[in-house]
Each structure stands twice: as structure tokens, then as C-alpha cells.
Amino acid sequence: MGSAALRCFCYGCLFTSVTWTLLLFIYFNFSEESQGFRHVSVKGLEPYKPYPKKIYPRISRDSAGRPDGSRKGYVGNAVGNHVGELEETNTADLSPEMGMIFNEQDQDVRDVGYQKHAFNVLISNRLGYHREIPDTRDSKCMKKTYPANLPLASIIICFYNEAFSALLRTVHSVLDRTPSNLLQEIILVDDNSELDDLKGPLDDYMHENLPQNVKLVRNRHREGLIRGRMIGASHATGDVLVFLDSHCEVNEMWLQPLLAPIKENPKTVVCPVIDIISADTLIYSSSPVVRGGFNWGLHFKWDPVPLSDLGGTEGFIAPFRSPTMAGGLFAMNREYFNTLGQYDSGMDIWGGENLEISFRIWMCGGTLLIVPCSRVGHIFRKRRPYGSPGGHDTMAHNSLRLAHVWMDEYKEQYFALRPELRNRDYGDISGRLKLRSRLNCKSFKWYLDNIYPEMQVSGSNAKPQPPVFVNRGAKRPKILQRGRLINMQTSRCLVAQGHPSQKGGLVVVKECDFNDPDQISWDRDRVAAVSNVSQDDAV
């Protein structure tokens, strides 16, 4: 009896194994034949094709180029700029399959991309150079009108070892969404990149596909972002300089809201709202409206916008003052850029230049605004993927120059946090001190009192600040009210990761679901803690 049962068991195992072997054989042969996984291109000269069938981008504007819908020989777009090809992918069409690994080649592209560029280059390549993105402006922005005779803009894009597809998508987004009558030129500044596809292949692509007002300047030596932008500005001929990072995508009607305040007052410097392009998925999403600040370590940070700055007849879409700028994306009158002293050429590569120019704008008679009706997406990379020549700490070097030129006695706040830098050499600053005197700039105390009064000074004379969250002991606080916290601009809600009444629990931002009980139960400590959610947490 036992041996018969054993034989039945063995026959059953054998039958099952054979059945699964046949099924797997059929599945993999048919899927390989129908989807062509082995033919995913990975080179960097054009939008990457062919794709497996499930992840072909949808072409949404074929008819805009030629009557037959083909892209070859395309000579214009909706805003009058000549471009060589048009292939758009709708952000809403991005599926998880866009980032799937189908073979070892895909794995290499993704892994090397993260290593060299700190974002998902595999998806970037598959997106191509044109795609539709969601219009993230407030609906009131779409009803605004702007003067017809706005100044001409020179777009300056500096890059070093940038991913080929991301760089060209930046350029094409400008060409696709900028009226040709406002675009004087696009100036690409190659800061002595080492990647092969940014040399001859980039020259060939520009010659064959881009209009003549897209120019390429190549630095013979690595100059860094700061001096690279100054080199780009020296080649510009437009009335307004618009600086963009090399991994951006501009949104609809992005330029007119930036040019209008500069036309009204040439001493106004303006920044768009910086939307988020995910480093992992490249999905474009709206950013909350925040303003720039800094801490005493001289690092930039995002702050909530005071309600007093969001009033006026235009309400939340009106430009508002910002104490500092992020530095990657802003527009400035070209003559004012030169008069104000451009950048500090004694600063190296990257770091601190955004705070330095922000302080200088405010202290020397200018105004720095963020314009909610202008939206530009930016890939927020996992890290800064390249270092500085020689491994020097350029952030510390630049911050020292900033502190000694502009911060007066308040530089002691910086040295309290970085005492090891007190005696470090920072180069000759005599020229910058003369510039400050010539421009008759105000004191840093004036800046803190009038532009950034929220900035607190440490020391015996500092005003005590109440804590954001007070732990009142083990006793659970009484729930005073229940409700839902909604960001009206993005239509997203705060959601408790644990139970809503859990004291000190974490919250995240998700799509509003009015049937989700975790979105509607709040205690008094939770509400207090929510007010301190940072921008990175909120997006």
C-alpha cells in the first residue's frame, strides 16, 4: 500500500514538472517573438527605439510637422521655432513598464546612468526629446495676458557630462513652448565635458536638427557652473538672461510671466516655481508654492510663503518676494546682471553662488521675486554626480567669500557652526568689497530686518522661539477636532502612515480619497507637527 502511494506521488511530480516546463517554454518563446526584447536600442543619438510593444511612446502631434504625419524634414512647431524632429510622449502615458529591464543592456544603461548622472537614464532615453507634460499652473494663470512688446530672452544652459537625452529634452522643451518672437537665442555652454556623445554627436545633432539660434560654446578647461554662466552671458545678445539647468523641461507659457516684471522694472530678478521631475520615474509633478531661505550653515532651504505676501488683487498667482533663490533657474535683465557684478569669479565650480547673488540683489537696490504662473520642471537628482577638480570643498570656499563680503558681523553665526573654517584661505575679495561700496549696498542687518525677519540669530540676545511640537507626556491628548488637510493647488491630502491618532506619527502626501479614514482624523499635536512638513516631504 505504501509503495503504491509513493509511486503515485512520484508520477504526479513528474507530470507537474513536464507540464510547467512546456508552459514556460511556450511563454518565453512567444513573448520574445512578439515583443522583441533583444532589440531595445541604448545608444545616445536619438529617441531610443524600437521599444517592446507595450512601452512605445504615444505620438501626440504628428500632424503638426507634416501633412502625412511623419517626422522627417519637420521645419516648425506651434510657437514658430524650427526643430528637426517631433516625438512627444505624454507624461500621463508613462507606465511602470517604461523603466522595465528586458536584457543586460538595459540593466547596464540604468546602472551606469545612476552612477554617472544620478537619475534613471534608461527612462530618459526611452522618453525621447519631446513629451507632453501636465500644465501645473493655477487656472487663473491661464486667463492672464501679457504685453506684446516683451524683451527678448537669451536662454543660457551650462552643462558638464549631462545625459544626452536630458540635455536635448531641455533644449527642445524651450523650442516647443517658447514663442519665437521672444526667443533671441539658446546658448549651450559645455564645461569641458568628457562624455563622447557630448562631442561630435552633439555637434552633428545640432547641425542637422536645431535652428541656428541654438549656439554651442565649449570651454577648453573646466570652469564650473559659476564662471560657465558668466561665459554664456558674455555671448548673449538678448535683453534678458534666462539661466536654466541642463535637466529641465519648461511648461506652457513659462517665459512671458518672467519677462513682464523685468520689463516693468529692470532691477527685478525673477524665478519660476520649480516643479519636480522624479529622478527614478521622470514623472512630472506639481510643486507647492514656496519661497527660498537659508540657514546659518549657508545652505539654501525652502520656506512657506507668509500669507501677507500672497494677498493683493491677483491673490495666490501674484509674484511674491523671496529672500533667496535656488539658483538653478532665474531670469535677469542683461545690463543689470553686468551692473550688479555678474557672479563672483573668485568662487569655484558650484555652491553658495545662489545665496551670494540673492543677498546682493536685495542689499544693492534690487528685488527678487518668485512667479507662480511660470512653471519649469527640474530633475531632482539623487546626489551631485560629479566632484570638483582636485577634490576641493568648493562649497566651503565659496561660502567663506560670501560671508566675508556680505554678512558683516553676522558671519560669526556661520563660524559658530563651522569653526574649522575661520582661518582657511578664501582668496582676494578686495574687488567684491569695492563693488559693494560702489553700488552703495545696505548692511546685512538691514537685509535680515526687512527681507528675512524670520531668520533667527543665536546667542545671548536671541529671541526665544517656541518649539513646533511639544511633548506633553505619555497621556494621549484629547482630540479637539477632526478634518482634512488639502493642498488646494495640487488637490492632495495629508495621510497618516500609522493610525491618525498616533502621537508623533509620520504623515505623507497622497491623492485625496474621501473614503479613507486615515485622512480625516487629527489631534492637536498632529496638526502642530504637520505645519513643519518640508518641501521634500510634501512632494
Side-chain angles (χ1 to χ4, degrees):
M1 184 66 179
S3 59
L6 180 61
R7 283 197 301 272
C8 291
F9 175 77
C10 292
Y11 289 144
C13 291
L14 180 62
F15 177 77
T16 302
S17 300
V18 171
T19 301
W20 275 107
T21 300
L22 289 172
L23 289 174
L24 291 172
F25 175 80
I26 295 171
Y27 171 79
F28 281 115
N29 273 272
F30 274 98
S31 59
E32 188 172 286
E33 180 180 350
S34 61
Q35 297 184 27
F37 291 168
R38 296 179 179 179
H39 304 288
V40 180
S41 175
V42 295
K43 294 183 180 180
L45 301 185
E46 61 179 3
Y48 295 75
K49 53 189 179 182
Y51 298 112
K53 289 184 178 180
K54 290 185 179 180
I55 60 171
Y56 272 107
R58 296 184 182 178
I59 311 304
S60 59
R61 287 196 206 166
D62 277 342
S63 59
R66 290 167 55 92
D68 59 2
S70 65
R71 293 186 295 110
K72 187 176 180 180
Y74 177 69
V75 295
N77 63 8
V79 291
N81 297 311
H82 173 94
V83 290
E85 62 176 89
L86 181 59
E87 181 170 350
E88 289 209 11
T89 303
N90 194 326
T91 295
D93 293 337
L94 292 183
S95 69
E97 293 178 334
M98 184 68 80
M100 288 182 65
I101 303 298
F102 298 112
N103 50 43
E104 292 183 3
Q105 210 171 19
D106 291 348
Q107 184 80 44
D108 290 341
V109 171
R110 191 190 69 173
D111 293 348
V112 173
Y114 272 115
Q115 179 184 357
K116 289 185 176 181
H117 307 292
F119 64 89
N120 196 326
V121 175
L122 179 66
I123 294 181
S124 178
N125 293 348
R126 288 172 171 173
L127 281 177
Y129 307 150
H130 306 259
R131 68 160 170 172
E132 292 180 354
I133 55 177
D135 189 342
T136 55
R137 297 174 296 163
D138 188 282
S139 59
K140 295 179 182 177
C141 294
M142 304 174 191
K143 301 176 183 178
K144 289 196 65 173
T145 58
Y146 300 95
N149 56 341
L150 290 171
L152 294 176
S154 293
I155 315 296
I156 299 174
I157 303 171
C158 298
F159 66 93
Y160 172 72
N161 286 353
E162 182 59 86
F164 193 88
S165 56
L167 174 64
L168 288 182
R169 196 162 49 251
T170 302
V171 174
H172 279 293
S173 76
V174 173
L175 292 171
D176 291 345
R177 302 186 183 99
T178 306
S180 59
N181 64 310
L182 298 178
L183 182 60
Q184 176 75 2
E185 61 208 347
I186 299 175
I187 300 175
L188 303 178
V189 181
D190 174 18
D191 194 24
N192 198 29
S193 295
E194 300 167 339
L195 302 181
D196 290 339
D197 57 358
L198 296 176
K199 298 177 182 179
L202 178 58
D203 291 330
D204 294 341
Y205 184 89
M206 291 182 61
H207 176 73
E208 296 173 4
N209 298 284
L210 297 181
Q212 293 184 351
N213 65 342
V214 181
K215 307 171 184 177
L216 177 61
V217 178
R218 294 193 185 272
N219 296 338
R220 295 184 177 180
H221 307 283
R222 178 90 186 277
E223 298 288 350
L225 174 69
I226 298 166
R227 290 191 288 271
R229 284 183 166 179
M230 295 170 66
I231 291 171
S234 69
H235 287 81
T237 58
D239 305 307
V240 172
L241 304 176
V242 182
F243 296 99
L244 294 179
D245 278 347
S246 54
H247 36 270
C248 294
E249 292 176 64
V250 302
N251 214 309
E252 297 294 334
M253 286 285 290
W254 73 284
L255 185 58
Q256 294 90 321
L258 298 180
L259 298 179
I262 296 176
K263 173 181 171 57
E264 185 177 343
N265 180 3
K267 291 186 177 182
T268 299
V269 181
V270 292
C271 304
V273 173
I274 305 176
D275 285 338
I276 292 90
I277 301 176
S278 169
D280 292 315
T281 65
L282 269 73
I283 290 176
Y284 187 112
S285 58
S286 174
S287 173
V289 176
V290 288
R291 68 174 188 167
F294 70 98
N295 58 31
W296 288 120
L298 296 184
H299 295 105
F300 174 85
K301 66 186 181 75
W302 293 111
D303 288 339
V305 183
L307 290 178
S308 58
D309 288 356
L310 293 175
T313 56
E314 290 187 302
F316 293 148
I317 68 169
F320 56 87
R321 305 195 316 169
S322 182
T324 65
M325 69 165 83
L329 302 81
F330 71 96
M332 188 173 186
N333 178 276
R334 181 163 61 92
E335 292 185 5
Y336 184 52
F337 179 72
N338 294 326
T339 300
L340 198 63
Q342 301 187 359
Y343 281 108
D344 178 359
S345 60
M347 289 186 169
D348 290 331
I349 307 298
W350 171 90
E353 82 287 344
N354 58 320
L355 298 187
E356 192 272 345
I357 198 171
S358 300
F359 295 165
R360 186 157 30 104
I361 290 166
W362 282 115
M363 293 168 63
C364 305
T367 302
L368 177 59
L369 302 178
I370 291 179
V371 184
C373 286
S374 176
R375 294 270 180 162
V376 177
H378 178 269
I379 299 178
F380 285 87
R381 299 176 296 186
K382 298 288 188 177
R383 54 182 170 80
R384 188 163 172 256
Y386 40 79
S388 303
H392 297 299
D393 186 352
T394 60
M395 182 70 186
H397 172 82
N398 297 346
S399 296
L400 280 172
R401 294 181 65 87
L402 157 66
H404 283 288
V405 174
W406 297 103
M407 293 180 65
D408 304 329
E409 69 272 19
Y410 291 92
K411 64 186 176 184
E412 293 300 323
Q413 300 289 325
Y414 176 60
F415 288 127
L417 294 175
R418 301 294 304 274
E420 75 280 5
L421 300 179
R422 186 178 292 274
N423 297 318
R424 179 180 291 191
D425 178 63
Y426 48 84
D428 182 12
I429 60 172
S430 59
R432 305 308 287 182
L433 292 173
K434 289 179 182 178
L435 172 70
R436 178 174 176 177
S437 176
R438 184 173 72 252
L439 294 176
N440 195 27
C441 302
K442 296 181 173 64
S443 68
F444 197 70
K445 183 180 187 304
W446 174 91
Y447 170 85
L448 292 177
D449 290 342
N450 294 274
I451 306 303
Y452 201 25
E454 297 83 3
M455 188 66 175
Q456 298 301 317
V457 179
S458 61
S460 57
N461 297 324
K463 299 178 181 178
Q465 294 297 303
V468 175
F469 177 77
V470 179
N471 191 333
R472 301 182 183 276
K475 183 179 178 180
R476 177 174 292 178
K478 182 180 179 181
I479 295 178
L480 301 181
Q481 60 182 348
R482 296 176 183 270
R484 184 185 306 273
L485 291 184
I486 304 176
N487 184 317
M488 300 302 294
Q489 189 169 13
T490 63
S491 298
R492 294 191 175 191
C493 294
L494 284 181
V495 185
Q497 281 193 320
H499 193 276
S501 63
Q502 177 185 349
K503 187 173 182 179
L506 298 177
V507 292
V508 295
V509 176
K510 293 183 178 179
E511 294 293 336
C512 292
D513 180 359
F514 292 94
N515 295 319
D516 184 358
D518 289 345
Q519 297 185 9
I520 60 173
S521 181
W522 302 89
D523 60 44
R524 56 186 176 185
D525 285 331
R526 174 66 51 79
V527 172
V530 165
S531 65
N532 199 35
V533 175
S534 68
Q535 187 206 22
D536 289 341
D537 297 327
V539 297

